[in-house]
Amino acid sequence: MTDAGARLAARPAWPISALADLLADASHRLETLESLAMGDMAVRLSFDISLHALQESPEMADVAAAAAFGLLSLADGPDISIMAAAAMLDQPERWAGVLLERLVDAQLLQTRRPGRYQFHDLLRLFGRQFAAERYPERDRLAAVTRLITFYTATAWRSLLLLRPGDHRLATADPRWTSGGQVFSDVTQVVEWTELERGNLLAAVAQAASATPAVPAELAGQLTRALSACFDRRGYWQDLRRASQVVLDRSCRNSA
């Protein structure tokens, strides 16, 4: 980060740790980097220009992509699939794919493999600030809840396929079992587990931390439903960590 280095070099009395402390607080990274003036254009301004270009585009897909940008940034996971984005946006899968690709074209989203998308950390922060300005809290929470519900319903489907007689299936809440990704065989479940592992763990934590705005039982439902697919892949530490998150949340709520 050459401009940050130049800023520090111009202030020889500053220790390196001082700049590190400024950048450590995620909630202020955009403001800090903007003050460092990366090139001739501040980081925020470059994001604003890209987003504004979509908003002012004559193409309906561009305008819709700009509106979707903020909501998509609310997911805590490392990336998002087209199907999960469709659930989060409450849009048809094909249309969600179009919006995601428009955001990639506008350099507001990244894709390293077909069908999966991720935010740069700073763009995620920018997106969340944009979402807070554009959408009321109930709409933001509804989008997050739809995403976690999608993961939960898919996880219950994975349990049903892997262990059709598992006792946990009797504890599935009907509110969190409809929809979700459909699997044709165990191989697809294994592939889904590998692709979504980080997102699933993030969803458990996000559901727990957003309680009571997000239904309190959703984190527990997701963790319980993940038991078979995580166990099959030997991700016992992940399952333990998710269970601890749920337990901690329950303890806080009962305190």
Side-chain angles (χ1 to χ4, degrees), residues 54-67:
L54 288 178
Q55 292 173 314
E56 297 301 315
S57 170
E59 297 289 333
M60 182 178 67
D62 287 339
V63 177

Side-chain angles (χ1 to χ4, degrees), residues 162-163 193 226-236 239:
L162 293 174
R163 296 178 183 170
T193 303
L226 287 172
S227 58
C229 60
F230 273 23
D231 180 66
R232 186 181 184 90
R233 299 301 294 164
Y235 297 142
W236 303 299
L239 194 57

Side-chain angles (χ1 to χ4, degrees), residues 78-83 97 100-101 104 109-119 188 190-197 199:
D79 68 356
I80 193 167
S81 69
I82 295 176
M83 196 175 298
L100 289 164
E101 286 297 322
V104 172
L109 204 58
Q110 299 172 335
T111 178
R112 294 192 178 95
R113 59 181 297 170
R116 303 199 70 86
Y117 303 83
Q118 58 275 323
F119 282 93
Q188 287 189 348
V190 172
E191 291 174 349
W192 176 77
T193 303
E194 291 301 312
L195 287 171
E196 302 291 355
R197 178 183 173 193
N199 295 321

Side-chain angles (χ1 to χ4, degrees), residues 180-207:
Q181 185 171 335
V182 178
F183 303 113
S184 60
D185 54 39
V186 171
T187 299
Q188 287 189 348
V189 174
V190 172
E191 291 174 349
W192 176 77
T193 303
E194 291 301 312
L195 287 171
E196 302 291 355
R197 178 183 173 193
N199 295 321
L200 295 168
L201 292 171
V204 171
Q206 190 165 16

Side-chain angles (χ1 to χ4, degrees), residues 1 5-6 49 51 80 115 125-126 140 149 153-154 162 168 170 172 180 205 220 226-227 245:
M1 202 157 72
I49 289 173
L51 188 59
I80 193 167
L125 290 170
F126 175 75
R140 302 196 305 272
T149 299
T154 305
L162 293 174
R168 296 176 185 83
L226 287 172
S227 58
V245 167

